[in-house]
Short mmCIF file of all heavy atoms in Angstrom, two decimals:
data_model
loop_
_atom_site.label_atom_id
_atom_site.label_comp_id
_atom_site.label_asym_id
_atom_site.label_seq_id
_atom_site.Cartn_x
_atom_site.Cartn_y
_atom_site.Cartn_z
N VAL J 1 11.04 15.99 -6.89
CA VAL J 1 11.52 16.51 -5.64
C VAL J 1 10.37 16.46 -4.55
O VAL J 1 10.59 16.13 -3.35
CB VAL J 1 12.08 17.98 -5.68
CG1 VAL J 1 12.42 18.56 -4.39
CG2 VAL J 1 13.25 17.96 -6.70
N SER J 2 9.23 16.75 -4.90
CA SER J 2 8.06 16.82 -3.97
C SER J 2 7.86 15.36 -3.46
O SER J 2 7.55 15.18 -2.26
CB SER J 2 6.79 17.27 -4.71
OG SER J 2 7.02 18.61 -5.06
N LEU J 3 7.84 14.35 -4.29
CA LEU J 3 7.66 13.01 -3.89
C LEU J 3 8.76 12.59 -2.87
O LEU J 3 8.40 11.95 -1.81
CB LEU J 3 7.63 12.02 -4.99
CG LEU J 3 7.25 10.66 -4.66
CD1 LEU J 3 5.93 10.55 -3.89
CD2 LEU J 3 7.31 9.77 -5.91
N ILE J 4 10.04 12.95 -3.03
CA ILE J 4 11.07 12.62 -2.08
C ILE J 4 10.76 13.27 -0.74
O ILE J 4 10.90 12.65 0.31
CB ILE J 4 12.45 13.04 -2.73
CG1 ILE J 4 12.82 12.16 -3.88
CG2 ILE J 4 13.52 12.94 -1.66
CD1 ILE J 4 13.96 12.68 -4.63
N LYS J 5 10.40 14.54 -0.78
CA LYS J 5 10.12 15.28 0.49
C LYS J 5 8.84 14.62 1.19
O LYS J 5 8.94 14.56 2.41
CB LYS J 5 9.94 16.70 0.16
CG LYS J 5 11.20 17.39 -0.20
CD LYS J 5 11.10 18.90 -0.01
CE LYS J 5 12.41 19.59 -0.44
NZ LYS J 5 13.44 19.42 0.58
N LEU J 6 7.89 14.23 0.38
CA LEU J 6 6.73 13.64 1.01
C LEU J 6 7.12 12.26 1.68
O LEU J 6 6.72 12.05 2.81
CB LEU J 6 5.60 13.35 -0.07
CG LEU J 6 4.44 12.63 0.41
CD1 LEU J 6 3.70 13.36 1.55
CD2 LEU J 6 3.45 12.29 -0.71
N LYS J 7 7.88 11.46 1.07
CA LYS J 7 8.34 10.26 1.61
C LYS J 7 9.18 10.42 2.85
O LYS J 7 8.99 9.73 3.92
CB LYS J 7 9.29 9.45 0.62
CG LYS J 7 8.51 8.85 -0.56
CD LYS J 7 9.52 8.09 -1.47
CE LYS J 7 8.90 7.59 -2.68
NZ LYS J 7 9.95 6.95 -3.53
N GLU J 8 10.07 11.45 2.81
CA GLU J 8 10.85 11.75 4.04
C GLU J 8 9.92 12.13 5.20
O GLU J 8 10.12 11.75 6.33
CB GLU J 8 11.86 12.91 3.80
CG GLU J 8 12.94 12.45 2.90
CD GLU J 8 13.77 13.72 2.45
OE1 GLU J 8 13.49 14.84 2.78
OE2 GLU J 8 14.82 13.48 1.80
N LEU J 9 8.89 12.99 4.95
CA LEU J 9 7.94 13.32 5.96
C LEU J 9 7.17 12.23 6.50
O LEU J 9 6.95 12.07 7.72
CB LEU J 9 6.95 14.37 5.42
CG LEU J 9 5.85 14.85 6.35
CD1 LEU J 9 6.48 15.57 7.57
CD2 LEU J 9 4.88 15.86 5.62
N ILE J 10 6.69 11.33 5.68
CA ILE J 10 6.02 10.11 6.04
C ILE J 10 6.81 9.23 7.00
O ILE J 10 6.41 8.80 8.00
CB ILE J 10 5.44 9.32 4.85
CG1 ILE J 10 4.31 10.11 4.20
CG2 ILE J 10 4.97 7.98 5.28
CD1 ILE J 10 3.88 9.61 2.90
N TYR J 11 8.14 8.97 6.57
CA TYR J 11 8.99 8.22 7.37
C TYR J 11 9.31 8.87 8.72
O TYR J 11 9.39 8.19 9.76
CB TYR J 11 10.30 7.95 6.69
CG TYR J 11 10.33 6.92 5.56
CD1 TYR J 11 10.70 7.25 4.28
CD2 TYR J 11 9.79 5.65 5.86
CE1 TYR J 11 10.62 6.21 3.23
CE2 TYR J 11 9.80 4.71 4.85
CZ TYR J 11 10.15 5.00 3.61
OH TYR J 11 10.19 4.02 2.61
N GLN J 12 9.41 10.18 8.83
CA GLN J 12 9.58 10.85 10.06
C GLN J 12 8.46 10.79 10.99
O GLN J 12 8.56 10.45 12.17
CB GLN J 12 9.82 12.41 9.83
CG GLN J 12 11.23 12.66 9.20
CD GLN J 12 11.25 14.12 8.74
OE1 GLN J 12 10.31 14.96 9.00
NE2 GLN J 12 12.34 14.51 8.04
N GLU J 13 7.15 10.81 10.46
CA GLU J 13 6.00 10.75 11.25
C GLU J 13 5.78 9.25 11.63
O GLU J 13 5.24 9.05 12.82
CB GLU J 13 4.79 11.34 10.46
CG GLU J 13 4.92 12.76 10.24
CD GLU J 13 5.15 13.59 11.52
OE1 GLU J 13 4.50 13.42 12.44
OE2 GLU J 13 6.18 14.43 11.51
N LYS J 14 6.06 8.33 10.80
CA LYS J 14 6.03 6.90 11.16
C LYS J 14 6.91 6.57 12.31
O LYS J 14 6.49 5.79 13.20
CB LYS J 14 6.29 6.01 9.97
CG LYS J 14 5.12 5.93 8.95
CD LYS J 14 5.49 5.02 7.76
CE LYS J 14 5.73 3.61 8.18
NZ LYS J 14 5.94 2.74 6.97
N ALA J 15 8.05 7.14 12.34
CA ALA J 15 8.98 6.97 13.41
C ALA J 15 8.46 7.45 14.73
O ALA J 15 8.92 7.02 15.83
CB ALA J 15 10.35 7.65 13.12
N LYS J 16 7.57 8.31 14.71
CA LYS J 16 6.87 8.91 15.93
C LYS J 16 5.63 8.07 16.27
O LYS J 16 4.84 8.52 17.10
CB LYS J 16 6.46 10.34 15.76
CG LYS J 16 7.62 11.26 15.45
CD LYS J 16 7.16 12.71 15.21
CE LYS J 16 8.22 13.64 14.77
NZ LYS J 16 7.72 14.94 14.31
N ASP J 17 5.44 6.83 15.69
CA ASP J 17 4.33 5.96 15.89
C ASP J 17 2.97 6.61 15.46
O ASP J 17 1.93 6.37 16.09
CB ASP J 17 4.28 5.47 17.33
CG ASP J 17 5.41 4.57 17.66
OD1 ASP J 17 5.81 3.83 16.70
OD2 ASP J 17 5.84 4.46 18.79
N LYS J 18 3.00 7.51 14.54
CA LYS J 18 1.77 8.10 13.98
C LYS J 18 1.16 7.09 12.94
O LYS J 18 1.90 6.44 12.24
CB LYS J 18 1.95 9.44 13.52
CG LYS J 18 2.34 10.45 14.50
CD LYS J 18 2.36 11.88 13.97
CE LYS J 18 2.64 12.91 15.09
NZ LYS J 18 2.76 14.25 14.49
N ILE J 19 -0.16 7.17 12.87
CA ILE J 19 -0.85 6.43 11.81
C ILE J 19 -1.04 7.36 10.65
O ILE J 19 -1.55 8.48 10.82
CB ILE J 19 -2.16 5.83 12.23
CG1 ILE J 19 -1.97 4.77 13.37
CG2 ILE J 19 -2.98 5.35 11.11
CD1 ILE J 19 -3.22 4.35 14.05
N ILE J 20 -0.69 6.97 9.46
CA ILE J 20 -0.80 7.78 8.26
C ILE J 20 -1.59 7.08 7.23
O ILE J 20 -1.35 5.92 6.90
CB ILE J 20 0.61 8.11 7.75
CG1 ILE J 20 1.47 8.78 8.82
CG2 ILE J 20 0.51 9.02 6.51
CD1 ILE J 20 2.91 8.84 8.48
N LEU J 21 -2.67 7.73 6.78
CA LEU J 21 -3.57 7.11 5.83
C LEU J 21 -3.17 7.68 4.45
O LEU J 21 -3.16 8.97 4.21
CB LEU J 21 -5.03 7.45 6.13
CG LEU J 21 -6.02 6.96 5.10
CD1 LEU J 21 -6.09 5.47 5.07
CD2 LEU J 21 -7.42 7.50 5.52
N ILE J 22 -2.88 6.75 3.50
CA ILE J 22 -2.48 7.24 2.15
C ILE J 22 -3.38 6.54 1.20
O ILE J 22 -3.67 5.36 1.22
CB ILE J 22 -1.02 6.73 1.85
CG1 ILE J 22 -0.03 7.38 2.83
CG2 ILE J 22 -0.70 7.06 0.39
CD1 ILE J 22 1.37 6.83 2.62
N THR J 23 -3.93 7.27 0.21
CA THR J 23 -4.74 6.73 -0.87
C THR J 23 -3.97 6.94 -2.14
O THR J 23 -3.53 8.04 -2.34
CB THR J 23 -6.14 7.34 -0.99
OG1 THR J 23 -5.98 8.69 -1.26
CG2 THR J 23 -6.95 7.07 0.30
N SER J 24 -3.77 5.97 -2.92
CA SER J 24 -2.92 6.09 -4.13
C SER J 24 -3.18 4.95 -5.09
O SER J 24 -3.58 3.89 -4.69
CB SER J 24 -1.44 6.09 -3.74
OG SER J 24 -0.58 6.20 -4.86
N HIS J 25 -2.97 5.31 -6.32
CA HIS J 25 -3.09 4.23 -7.49
C HIS J 25 -1.61 3.82 -7.83
O HIS J 25 -1.39 2.97 -8.61
CB HIS J 25 -3.78 4.83 -8.64
CG HIS J 25 -5.21 4.98 -8.43
ND1 HIS J 25 -5.75 6.19 -7.97
CD2 HIS J 25 -6.24 4.12 -8.61
CE1 HIS J 25 -7.04 5.99 -7.89
NE2 HIS J 25 -7.39 4.78 -8.16
N ILE J 26 -0.62 4.41 -7.14
CA ILE J 26 0.76 4.11 -7.41
C ILE J 26 1.18 3.05 -6.54
O ILE J 26 1.61 3.32 -5.41
CB ILE J 26 1.74 5.40 -7.23
CG1 ILE J 26 1.14 6.57 -8.12
CG2 ILE J 26 3.10 5.07 -7.62
CD1 ILE J 26 1.76 7.92 -7.92
N MET J 27 1.19 1.82 -7.03
CA MET J 27 1.47 0.65 -6.20
C MET J 27 2.78 0.58 -5.69
O MET J 27 3.09 0.12 -4.57
CB MET J 27 1.08 -0.62 -6.90
CG MET J 27 -0.38 -0.83 -7.21
SD MET J 27 -1.47 -0.81 -5.71
CE MET J 27 -2.14 0.84 -5.69
N SER J 28 3.77 1.06 -6.46
CA SER J 28 5.21 0.96 -5.98
C SER J 28 5.36 1.97 -4.73
O SER J 28 6.16 1.59 -3.80
CB SER J 28 6.16 1.41 -7.13
OG SER J 28 5.86 2.73 -7.56
N LEU J 29 4.63 3.07 -4.74
CA LEU J 29 4.65 3.91 -3.57
C LEU J 29 4.05 3.26 -2.32
O LEU J 29 4.56 3.33 -1.25
CB LEU J 29 4.03 5.29 -3.95
CG LEU J 29 3.89 6.29 -2.78
CD1 LEU J 29 5.30 6.85 -2.42
CD2 LEU J 29 2.92 7.39 -3.13
N VAL J 30 2.88 2.75 -2.62
CA VAL J 30 2.20 2.05 -1.50
C VAL J 30 3.09 0.92 -0.91
O VAL J 30 3.23 0.81 0.29
CB VAL J 30 0.81 1.47 -1.97
CG1 VAL J 30 0.17 0.62 -0.84
CG2 VAL J 30 -0.08 2.58 -2.39
N GLU J 31 3.70 0.18 -1.77
CA GLU J 31 4.49 -0.97 -1.38
C GLU J 31 5.72 -0.49 -0.61
O GLU J 31 6.09 -1.20 0.42
CB GLU J 31 4.91 -1.80 -2.59
CG GLU J 31 5.56 -3.15 -2.21
CD GLU J 31 5.62 -4.12 -3.38
OE1 GLU J 31 5.32 -3.77 -4.53
OE2 GLU J 31 5.92 -5.29 -3.06
N GLU J 32 6.26 0.58 -0.88
CA GLU J 32 7.42 1.15 -0.25
C GLU J 32 7.04 1.73 1.14
O GLU J 32 7.80 1.55 2.04
CB GLU J 32 8.05 2.29 -1.14
CG GLU J 32 9.26 2.92 -0.44
CD GLU J 32 9.83 4.07 -1.29
OE1 GLU J 32 9.51 4.18 -2.40
OE2 GLU J 32 10.68 4.85 -0.68
N LEU J 33 5.88 2.34 1.25
CA LEU J 33 5.58 3.10 2.47
C LEU J 33 4.62 2.43 3.47
O LEU J 33 4.67 2.63 4.64
CB LEU J 33 4.92 4.52 2.10
CG LEU J 33 5.87 5.41 1.26
CD1 LEU J 33 5.09 6.63 0.94
CD2 LEU J 33 7.03 5.81 2.12
N ALA J 34 3.74 1.57 2.93
CA ALA J 34 2.64 0.97 3.77
C ALA J 34 3.13 -0.19 4.58
O ALA J 34 3.83 -1.08 4.14
CB ALA J 34 1.49 0.62 2.88
N ASP J 35 2.61 -0.20 5.77
CA ASP J 35 2.80 -1.40 6.65
C ASP J 35 1.66 -2.34 6.45
O ASP J 35 1.74 -3.54 6.56
CB ASP J 35 2.81 -1.04 8.14
CG ASP J 35 4.07 -0.14 8.43
OD1 ASP J 35 5.07 -0.48 7.90
OD2 ASP J 35 3.88 0.81 9.21
N GLU J 36 0.35 -1.77 6.27
CA GLU J 36 -0.77 -2.48 5.96
C GLU J 36 -1.54 -1.83 4.91
O GLU J 36 -1.41 -0.61 4.63
CB GLU J 36 -1.71 -2.59 7.28
CG GLU J 36 -1.16 -3.36 8.38
CD GLU J 36 -2.10 -3.57 9.49
OE1 GLU J 36 -3.36 -3.51 9.23
OE2 GLU J 36 -1.57 -3.72 10.65
N VAL J 37 -2.38 -2.59 4.18
CA VAL J 37 -3.17 -2.00 3.08
C VAL J 37 -4.63 -2.46 3.19
O VAL J 37 -4.92 -3.54 3.80
CB VAL J 37 -2.64 -2.52 1.66
CG1 VAL J 37 -1.30 -1.90 1.45
CG2 VAL J 37 -2.66 -3.95 1.53
N VAL J 38 -5.52 -1.63 2.68
CA VAL J 38 -6.90 -1.98 2.54
C VAL J 38 -7.16 -1.68 1.05
O VAL J 38 -7.01 -0.63 0.60
CB VAL J 38 -7.83 -1.18 3.43
CG1 VAL J 38 -9.31 -1.51 3.13
CG2 VAL J 38 -7.47 -1.37 4.84
N PHE J 39 -7.58 -2.82 0.37
CA PHE J 39 -7.93 -2.66 -1.08
C PHE J 39 -9.41 -2.52 -1.21
O PHE J 39 -10.13 -3.53 -0.91
CB PHE J 39 -7.34 -3.81 -1.93
CG PHE J 39 -7.79 -3.76 -3.34
CD1 PHE J 39 -7.45 -2.61 -4.10
CD2 PHE J 39 -8.42 -4.82 -3.93
CE1 PHE J 39 -7.85 -2.56 -5.41
CE2 PHE J 39 -8.75 -4.80 -5.26
CZ PHE J 39 -8.51 -3.62 -6.02
N LEU J 40 -9.85 -1.38 -1.63
CA LEU J 40 -11.32 -1.13 -1.84
C LEU J 40 -11.60 -0.96 -3.28
O LEU J 40 -10.80 -0.36 -4.02
CB LEU J 40 -11.70 0.23 -1.13
CG LEU J 40 -11.49 0.27 0.44
CD1 LEU J 40 -11.69 1.77 0.83
CD2 LEU J 40 -12.60 -0.50 1.08
N LEU J 41 -12.70 -1.42 -3.69
CA LEU J 41 -13.28 -1.24 -5.07
C LEU J 41 -14.74 -1.10 -4.96
O LEU J 41 -15.44 -2.07 -4.46
CB LEU J 41 -12.86 -2.33 -5.98
CG LEU J 41 -13.20 -2.24 -7.40
CD1 LEU J 41 -12.58 -1.01 -8.04
CD2 LEU J 41 -12.81 -3.50 -8.19
N GLU J 42 -15.34 -0.02 -5.45
CA GLU J 42 -16.74 0.25 -5.45
C GLU J 42 -17.43 -0.01 -4.07
O GLU J 42 -18.44 -0.59 -3.99
CB GLU J 42 -17.36 -0.58 -6.60
CG GLU J 42 -16.86 -0.16 -7.90
CD GLU J 42 -17.44 -1.08 -9.08
OE1 GLU J 42 -18.21 -2.08 -8.82
OE2 GLU J 42 -17.17 -0.74 -10.24
N GLY J 43 -16.66 0.42 -3.09
CA GLY J 43 -17.15 0.33 -1.63
C GLY J 43 -17.09 -1.07 -1.03
O GLY J 43 -17.45 -1.22 0.10
N ASN J 44 -16.44 -2.01 -1.73
CA ASN J 44 -16.26 -3.39 -1.15
C ASN J 44 -14.80 -3.57 -0.79
O ASN J 44 -13.86 -3.13 -1.50
CB ASN J 44 -16.67 -4.46 -2.13
CG ASN J 44 -18.09 -4.36 -2.53
OD1 ASN J 44 -18.88 -4.33 -1.60
ND2 ASN J 44 -18.43 -4.36 -3.79
N ILE J 45 -14.53 -4.13 0.36
CA ILE J 45 -13.14 -4.44 0.81
C ILE J 45 -12.82 -5.80 0.22
O ILE J 45 -13.37 -6.83 0.52
CB ILE J 45 -13.00 -4.41 2.34
CG1 ILE J 45 -13.34 -3.02 2.89
CG2 ILE J 45 -11.65 -4.88 2.71
CD1 ILE J 45 -13.30 -2.98 4.46
N TYR J 46 -11.76 -5.77 -0.63
CA TYR J 46 -11.26 -7.02 -1.27
C TYR J 46 -10.10 -7.65 -0.42
O TYR J 46 -9.91 -8.81 -0.50
CB TYR J 46 -10.85 -6.75 -2.66
CG TYR J 46 -12.02 -6.63 -3.63
CD1 TYR J 46 -12.74 -5.41 -3.68
CD2 TYR J 46 -12.41 -7.70 -4.44
CE1 TYR J 46 -13.80 -5.36 -4.56
CE2 TYR J 46 -13.48 -7.57 -5.20
CZ TYR J 46 -14.19 -6.38 -5.32
OH TYR J 46 -15.26 -6.25 -6.21
N PHE J 47 -9.39 -6.80 0.31
CA PHE J 47 -8.31 -7.28 1.11
C PHE J 47 -8.01 -6.25 2.19
O PHE J 47 -8.02 -5.07 1.94
CB PHE J 47 -7.06 -7.56 0.26
CG PHE J 47 -5.91 -8.02 1.13
CD1 PHE J 47 -5.82 -9.36 1.53
CD2 PHE J 47 -4.93 -7.13 1.59
CE1 PHE J 47 -4.83 -9.81 2.34
CE2 PHE J 47 -3.89 -7.59 2.35
CZ PHE J 47 -3.79 -8.89 2.80
N GLN J 48 -7.68 -6.74 3.40
CA GLN J 48 -7.11 -5.90 4.44
C GLN J 48 -6.12 -6.72 5.21
O GLN J 48 -6.36 -7.80 5.67
CB GLN J 48 -8.26 -5.53 5.42
CG GLN J 48 -7.78 -4.59 6.47
CD GLN J 48 -8.96 -4.09 7.36
OE1 GLN J 48 -10.10 -4.36 7.12
NE2 GLN J 48 -8.68 -3.31 8.35
N GLY J 49 -4.89 -6.15 5.30
CA GLY J 49 -3.71 -6.86 5.99
C GLY J 49 -2.44 -6.30 5.53
O GLY J 49 -2.41 -5.23 4.92
N THR J 50 -1.42 -7.07 5.81
CA THR J 50 -0.12 -6.59 5.35
C THR J 50 0.15 -6.94 3.90
O THR J 50 -0.51 -7.84 3.30
CB THR J 50 1.03 -7.27 6.26
OG1 THR J 50 1.10 -8.64 5.93
CG2 THR J 50 0.82 -7.06 7.70
N ILE J 51 1.08 -6.18 3.32
CA ILE J 51 1.54 -6.49 1.92
C ILE J 51 2.10 -7.87 1.79
O ILE J 51 1.71 -8.61 0.82
CB ILE J 51 2.45 -5.41 1.48
CG1 ILE J 51 1.75 -4.04 1.30
CG2 ILE J 51 3.01 -5.76 0.08
CD1 ILE J 51 2.65 -2.85 1.07
N THR J 52 2.81 -8.34 2.80
CA THR J 52 3.37 -9.69 2.72
C THR J 52 2.23 -10.70 2.76
O THR J 52 2.35 -11.69 1.96
CB THR J 52 4.28 -9.88 4.00
OG1 THR J 52 5.26 -8.93 3.98
CG2 THR J 52 4.82 -11.32 4.00
N GLU J 53 1.26 -10.45 3.56
CA GLU J 53 0.01 -11.39 3.54
C GLU J 53 -0.63 -11.46 2.17
O GLU J 53 -1.00 -12.52 1.66
CB GLU J 53 -0.96 -11.07 4.62
CG GLU J 53 -0.47 -11.17 6.02
CD GLU J 53 -1.42 -10.56 7.08
OE1 GLU J 53 -2.20 -9.63 6.77
OE2 GLU J 53 -1.28 -10.91 8.19
N LEU J 54 -0.72 -10.30 1.62
CA LEU J 54 -1.44 -10.22 0.25
C LEU J 54 -0.66 -10.87 -0.86
O LEU J 54 -1.13 -11.68 -1.63
CB LEU J 54 -1.71 -8.78 -0.07
CG LEU J 54 -2.26 -8.46 -1.46
CD1 LEU J 54 -3.64 -9.21 -1.62
CD2 LEU J 54 -2.51 -6.96 -1.72
N LYS J 55 0.70 -10.64 -0.77
CA LYS J 55 1.53 -11.33 -1.80
C LYS J 55 1.54 -12.83 -1.58
O LYS J 55 1.51 -13.57 -2.54
CB LYS J 55 3.00 -10.76 -1.79
CG LYS J 55 2.96 -9.29 -2.27
CD LYS J 55 4.30 -8.77 -2.50
CE LYS J 55 5.17 -8.61 -1.24
NZ LYS J 55 6.51 -7.89 -1.42
N SER J 56 1.51 -13.29 -0.38
CA SER J 56 1.47 -14.70 -0.04
C SER J 56 0.12 -15.31 -0.53
O SER J 56 0.15 -16.36 -1.11
CB SER J 56 1.70 -14.91 1.43
OG SER J 56 1.54 -16.26 1.74
N LYS J 57 -0.95 -14.61 -0.25
CA LYS J 57 -2.28 -15.03 -0.58
C LYS J 57 -2.45 -15.28 -2.04
O LYS J 57 -3.12 -16.14 -2.55
CB LYS J 57 -3.35 -14.09 0.01
CG LYS J 57 -4.77 -14.42 -0.34
CD LYS J 57 -5.70 -13.44 0.18
CE LYS J 57 -7.15 -13.78 -0.19
NZ LYS J 57 -8.11 -12.88 0.37
N THR J 58 -1.90 -14.30 -2.80
CA THR J 58 -2.04 -14.27 -4.25
C THR J 58 -0.81 -14.94 -5.01
O THR J 58 -0.81 -15.05 -6.21
CB THR J 58 -2.16 -12.85 -4.77
OG1 THR J 58 -1.03 -12.09 -4.38
CG2 THR J 58 -3.39 -12.25 -4.20
N ALA J 59 0.15 -15.38 -4.21
CA ALA J 59 1.39 -16.05 -4.86
C ALA J 59 2.00 -15.12 -5.87
O ALA J 59 2.40 -15.56 -6.98
CB ALA J 59 1.05 -17.41 -5.41
N THR J 60 2.17 -13.89 -5.52
CA THR J 60 2.76 -12.89 -6.37
C THR J 60 3.95 -12.27 -5.73
O THR J 60 4.12 -12.35 -4.52
CB THR J 60 1.82 -11.82 -6.91
OG1 THR J 60 1.28 -11.12 -5.69
CG2 THR J 60 0.66 -12.42 -7.71
N GLU J 61 4.80 -11.48 -6.53
CA GLU J 61 6.06 -10.95 -5.99
C GLU J 61 6.00 -9.46 -5.73
O GLU J 61 6.79 -8.87 -5.05
CB GLU J 61 7.18 -11.26 -6.95
CG GLU J 61 7.48 -12.72 -6.96
CD GLU J 61 8.76 -13.01 -7.81
OE1 GLU J 61 9.57 -12.07 -8.01
OE2 GLU J 61 8.90 -14.15 -8.29
N ASP J 62 4.85 -8.79 -6.15
CA ASP J 62 4.73 -7.41 -5.93
C ASP J 62 3.26 -7.00 -5.75
O ASP J 62 2.40 -7.75 -6.10
CB ASP J 62 5.42 -6.50 -6.92
CG ASP J 62 4.85 -6.72 -8.33
OD1 ASP J 62 3.72 -6.65 -8.49
OD2 ASP J 62 5.65 -7.00 -9.32
N LEU J 63 3.08 -5.86 -5.22
CA LEU J 63 1.76 -5.45 -4.89
C LEU J 63 0.92 -5.19 -6.12
O LEU J 63 -0.30 -5.54 -6.15
CB LEU J 63 1.75 -4.12 -4.02
CG LEU J 63 0.42 -3.52 -3.55
CD1 LEU J 63 -0.22 -4.57 -2.66
CD2 LEU J 63 0.72 -2.20 -2.80
N GLU J 64 1.44 -4.67 -7.12
CA GLU J 64 0.77 -4.48 -8.40
C GLU J 64 0.12 -5.77 -9.04
O GLU J 64 -1.02 -5.83 -9.33
CB GLU J 64 1.62 -3.82 -9.39
CG GLU J 64 1.00 -3.41 -10.71
CD GLU J 64 1.92 -2.67 -11.68
OE1 GLU J 64 2.16 -1.42 -11.36
OE2 GLU J 64 2.55 -3.35 -12.55
N HIS J 65 0.94 -6.79 -8.95
CA HIS J 65 0.45 -8.06 -9.43
C HIS J 65 -0.55 -8.73 -8.54
O HIS J 65 -1.47 -9.38 -8.92
CB HIS J 65 1.58 -9.03 -9.79
CG HIS J 65 2.28 -8.62 -11.05
ND1 HIS J 65 3.45 -7.87 -11.10
CD2 HIS J 65 2.10 -8.98 -12.33
CE1 HIS J 65 3.87 -7.65 -12.30
NE2 HIS J 65 3.07 -8.40 -13.07
N ALA J 66 -0.30 -8.49 -7.28
CA ALA J 66 -1.21 -9.02 -6.24
C ALA J 66 -2.64 -8.50 -6.42
O ALA J 66 -3.71 -9.17 -6.41
CB ALA J 66 -0.74 -8.74 -4.83
N ILE J 67 -2.70 -7.15 -6.69
CA ILE J 67 -4.02 -6.51 -6.87
C ILE J 67 -4.64 -7.04 -8.16
O ILE J 67 -5.87 -7.35 -8.24
CB ILE J 67 -3.89 -4.96 -6.91
CG1 ILE J 67 -3.36 -4.43 -5.60
CG2 ILE J 67 -5.09 -4.31 -7.36
CD1 ILE J 67 -4.21 -4.68 -4.38
N ALA J 68 -3.82 -7.16 -9.19
CA ALA J 68 -4.28 -7.65 -10.49
C ALA J 68 -4.88 -9.04 -10.30
O ALA J 68 -5.82 -9.39 -10.93
CB ALA J 68 -3.27 -7.59 -11.52
N THR J 69 -4.18 -9.88 -9.49
CA THR J 69 -4.67 -11.27 -9.27
C THR J 69 -6.00 -11.19 -8.60
O THR J 69 -6.85 -11.98 -8.84
CB THR J 69 -3.63 -12.04 -8.46
OG1 THR J 69 -2.38 -12.05 -9.15
CG2 THR J 69 -4.12 -13.42 -8.13
N ILE J 70 -6.22 -10.34 -7.61
CA ILE J 70 -7.49 -10.24 -6.92
C ILE J 70 -8.59 -9.90 -7.87
O ILE J 70 -9.68 -10.41 -7.84
CB ILE J 70 -7.45 -9.21 -5.77
CG1 ILE J 70 -6.62 -9.71 -4.58
CG2 ILE J 70 -8.79 -8.88 -5.31
CD1 ILE J 70 -6.38 -8.78 -3.52
N LEU J 71 -8.24 -9.03 -8.80
CA LEU J 71 -9.33 -8.55 -9.78
C LEU J 71 -9.51 -9.53 -10.92
O LEU J 71 -10.53 -9.33 -11.65
CB LEU J 71 -8.88 -7.15 -10.35
CG LEU J 71 -8.84 -6.11 -9.33
CD1 LEU J 71 -8.32 -4.77 -9.89
CD2 LEU J 71 -10.24 -5.84 -8.71
N ALA J 72 -8.66 -10.41 -11.18
CA ALA J 72 -8.80 -11.35 -12.32
C ALA J 72 -10.09 -12.23 -12.15
O ALA J 72 -10.30 -12.74 -11.02
CB ALA J 72 -7.59 -12.23 -12.47
N PRO J 73 -10.83 -12.42 -13.18
CA PRO J 73 -12.03 -13.28 -13.07
C PRO J 73 -11.71 -14.78 -12.83
O PRO J 73 -10.71 -15.26 -13.02
CB PRO J 73 -12.77 -13.05 -14.37
CG PRO J 73 -11.81 -12.46 -15.31
CD PRO J 73 -10.67 -11.91 -14.50
#
């Protein structure tokens, strides 16, 4: 219930053109709510842009796999 209410609040505030910063390890939540992402690891920026750009760059279908692709050696 809390997550549903949080999502509703975020959508309401986004509709008011507010910028909302979310940090999360839950990629499905990020993919649902974010317009842009910044992927940071140990202080380094590995990607900054839209989720569509990231999925295109990594040739993946979801954010979780896109991040995994970036991290793969």
